[in-house]
Amino acid sequence: MTHTLPLPDFTHERVEVITGRRSGLFIAVALHSSVLGSALGGARLWTYPHWSDALGDALRLSAAMTLKNATAGLDAGGGKAVIGLEAGTVLDAERRRAAFLDLGDAVESFDGLYRTAEDVGSTMDDMAVVGEQTTHVVGLPDASGGSGEPAGPTSLGVYESLRAVLERTTGSSDVAGRRITISGLGQVGGRLAVRLSTEGAVLTVTDVNPERRHLARELGAVWAEPGTEHLVASDVFVPAGIGGLLTDEVIDTLDTAAVCGPANNPLASHSGADRLAARGILYAPDFVVNAGGVIYLDHEAKKLGSRAEIMERVSQIGETVRRILADSEERGITPLAAAEELAAARLRSGVETPVLR
């Protein structure tokens, strides 16, 4: 589901918008910040009502990547790429390949200031095509000597964040018996659902793709019709699809104690954080919760430890969430404000020392 959102403030270092010379598709690459190093952020392939919506998504997502990489302690700035499709467009194999070759050209034009990776709608195989045009791509298939699929690390970070949220709201990080609603059963949401199910969570799930009902049946989860999932009573609501789900209207009827999920920019407006707080709903900031994939990709690309050591680093996201929630409560500000302040402090310092250890 695509939500048309207002354009963010333009604070970007560089934005390139092209029509792919092979594919004829809209492509935007947004470099928000390189203060902490070359920008790192995925390439999204998605359908939008208008090309301006695709551009707006690239601007919002790249700014969020700056926050994500800063709070994760990475020596990386924020960037994002978007390949925008018009409604009804179906890419055959030839045109899809052409689109990612075009993206490779666009990424190469940044001379290493932006590194791309897979994201919603794109795959490791797509990144291999990008890699034919540029070396500034991460998350390539294992068979190509790459780091492989980042959804697993992202899911781990969300899981540990969810445990931290439960600890804050219930006094225990145990997920057994907890009512958890997952909106979006893609690579990350699906993995999370499987893990939570095996640990005894009571799941309600949904996805805009009705074919994902089979996962609900396999897990014994309740299926909610898309657009109604926020009305189901839960201990934690997990937005795991496209951003903008949490509009004012949804927040006002959201039946949960906490929100914690991997979707980028789930708040339709920044003021949504205050609206959630006013209703007594705890909000774990998305750019902290979903940082597992980018931590994994950055550390793998730079050979900063074994895969086991990197996954251990990813698991520490839960501790980061705990510190942000504690800081938020102590200072009487929203968790979003606390997390943004941490990112801002790191960006001001412009040094390699993470704000959160």
Side-chain angles (χ1 to χ4, degrees):
M1 184 179 299
T2 298
H3 300 270
T4 300
L5 301 174
L7 287 173
D9 291 337
F10 189 81
T11 56
H12 297 66
E13 293 180 14
R14 176 181 168 188
V15 178
E16 292 287 332
V17 178
I18 65 171
T19 299
R21 64 183 180 88
R22 304 174 186 84
S23 65
L25 295 174
F26 173 93
I27 298 174
V29 179
L31 169 62
H32 181 257
S33 172
S34 60
V35 169
L36 296 176
S38 65
L40 176 59
R44 176 165 295 191
L45 175 67
W46 199 250
T47 299
Y48 297 90
H50 190 264
W51 65 265
S52 60
D53 295 300
L55 174 59
D57 213 14
L59 296 177
R60 285 187 296 272
L61 291 167
S62 59
M65 288 304 304
T66 296
L67 295 174
K68 181 186 299 188
N69 293 338
T71 55
L74 301 182
D75 303 326
K80 206 76 172 187
V82 168
I83 301 175
L85 305 179
E86 294 181 354
T89 302
V90 178
L91 299 183
D92 59 22
E94 182 179 1
R95 196 178 185 198
R96 186 182 184 101
R97 173 175 167 78
F100 284 97
L101 288 172
D102 289 337
L103 175 62
D105 290 340
V107 172
E108 180 64 18
S109 74
F110 280 73
D111 296 322
L113 279 178
Y114 168 63
R115 294 171 290 153
T116 197
E118 70 172 271
D119 196 76
V120 174
S122 64
T123 68
M124 285 189 297
D125 291 336
D126 294 324
M127 293 306 105
V129 175
V130 172
E132 295 179 26
Q133 303 300 112
T134 182
T135 59
H136 306 299
V137 55
V138 298
L140 296 172
D142 285 300
S144 303
S147 56
E149 171 64 63
T154 302
S155 178
L156 173 61
V158 178
Y159 169 78
E160 293 296 347
S161 298
L162 190 147
R163 282 166 41 86
V165 165
L166 282 173
E167 187 175 284
R168 171 67 57 168
T169 57
T170 72
S172 171
S173 61
D174 191 354
V175 303
R178 297 299 176 190
R179 301 166 300 167
I180 299 173
T181 297
I182 302 178
S183 179
L185 294 174
Q187 291 276 22
V188 178
R191 282 174 167 79
L192 182 66
V194 170
R195 178 162 191 171
L196 293 175
S197 175
T198 62
E199 296 190 11
V202 179
L203 295 181
T204 297
V205 300
T206 192
D207 195 279
V208 293
N209 181 359
E211 293 182 3
R212 298 302 285 168
R213 279 179 178 268
H214 76 86
L215 182 59
R217 290 193 294 269
E218 291 172 8
L219 299 180
V222 173
W223 177 269
E225 288 303 313
T228 68
E229 65 272 24
H230 64 288
L231 302 175
V232 179
S234 66
D235 295 301
V236 184
F237 183 82
V238 180
I242 297 299
L245 174 63
L246 297 176
T247 63
D248 287 350
E249 294 75 17
V250 168
I251 291 172
D252 288 346
T253 54
L254 184 60
D255 191 358
T256 193
V259 174
C260 175
N264 288 303
N265 299 324
L267 297 174
S269 65
H270 191 271
S271 61
D274 296 303
R275 204 174 189 96
L276 287 167
R279 291 204 57 220
I281 299 173
L282 186 66
Y283 176 63
D286 57 295
F287 57 84
V288 180
V289 171
N290 64 19
V294 75
I295 291 171
Y296 173 77
L297 291 173
D298 185 72
H299 281 52
E300 271 279 318
K302 295 174 180 176
K303 307 301 180 186
L304 300 176
S306 66
R307 287 199 177 180
E309 290 170 334
I310 295 171
M311 292 301 280
E312 175 59 29
R313 168 68 180 82
V314 169
S315 71
Q316 294 305 306
I317 289 175
E319 291 305 313
T320 301
V321 171
R322 287 182 176 89
R323 296 177 190 183
I324 288 172
L325 297 181
D327 182 48
S328 165
E329 182 176 42
E330 180 179 336
R331 299 172 58 199
I333 60 177
T334 67
L336 178 59
E340 288 176 337
E341 286 187 13
L342 287 170
R346 176 117 198 277
L347 289 164
R348 284 194 301 270
S349 70
V351 298
E352 297 181 358
T353 304
V355 174
L356 295 178
R357 294 172 178 269

